[in-house]
Amino acid sequence: MIRVVLPQHLRALARVGEEVELEVEGPPTQRAVLDALEARYPMLRGTIRGHATLQRRPFVRFFACEQDLSHEPADAPLPEPVASGAEPFMVVGAMAGG
């Protein structure tokens, strides 16, 4: 079971609490987690990744185990504490400006 923490605006859109739990088929990777998230909550399609490219949107970041995983390959294995459910995979809306 993978735990995923979403930012407030995506929680409101999906009508979920701060954290959701997902079953992921195959090795736990960013792609597998996001595929499972979008399959369970179709209203999130296109909000985290682009519809056509499935690439992370520019102002969205992924964190786990106090590490920024945003620039890691989508098929890289997630850290073991995330895969085991001990730590959450966090989707964070980045901020820009001055």
Side-chain angles (χ1 to χ4, degrees):
M1 192 68 69
I2 304 287
R3 297 167 40 215
V4 180
V5 174
L6 296 170
Q8 176 57 41
H9 66 285
L10 295 182
R11 284 184 284 195
L13 182 62
R15 295 187 176 137
V16 297
E18 181 177 347
E19 188 173 285
V20 296
E21 292 184 351
L22 301 170
E23 286 288 335
V24 175
E25 293 188 28
T29 64
Q30 286 183 32
R31 184 184 317 275
V33 169
L34 296 175
D35 286 349
L37 184 66
E38 291 174 349
R40 187 164 171 194
Y41 303 101
M43 68 285 291
L44 295 179
R45 288 186 187 136
T47 62
I48 299 170
R49 305 184 288 182
H51 282 289
T53 65
L54 297 181
Q55 297 296 312
R56 174 183 57 84
R57 293 226 176 253
F59 288 98
V60 174
R61 296 282 185 246
F62 305 133
F63 289 89
C65 302
E66 299 182 17
Q67 298 175 33
D68 185 349
L69 304 177
S70 304
H71 297 290
E72 296 292 319
D75 291 318
L78 291 174
E80 193 284 323
V82 174
S84 70
E87 292 286 332
F89 177 79
M90 295 183 283
V91 178
V92 178
M95 298 182 99

